[in-house]
Amino acid sequence: MRSMRRGIKEMDIILHRYATERLGQMSDAELDLYEALLSENDQDLYQWVSGQQSSPPQFSDLIAHIAGHSATR
């Protein structure tokens, strides 16, 4: 639910699609990291996923995965 009710429609779409396809396959550690990512500001998330800014190191692999998933849509 938190993936699709973010505030910025673009992030709602990106994260909802990603969560729908990936959450069931994630390990506990991956879910914890995703949960931490959801606590970040939407404007920052959008800039990270769109490549406008670099993400913090702890999120770089996850952001790359989300961005790659989004690019295939």
Side-chain angles (χ1 to χ4, degrees), residues 1-7 12 15-16 19-20 23 34 38:
M1 184 61 101
R2 290 183 58 211
S3 295
M4 65 182 216
R5 301 243 169 131
R6 302 282 314 159
D12 291 350
L15 292 177
H16 179 255
T20 298
L23 287 184
Y34 186 73
L38 293 180

Side-chain angles (χ1 to χ4, degrees), residues 44-60:
D44 293 335
L45 284 175
Y46 186 73
Q47 290 185 350
W48 300 340
V49 170
S50 66
Q52 296 175 35
Q53 286 188 353
S54 297
S55 66
Q58 70 269 25
F59 297 129
S60 61

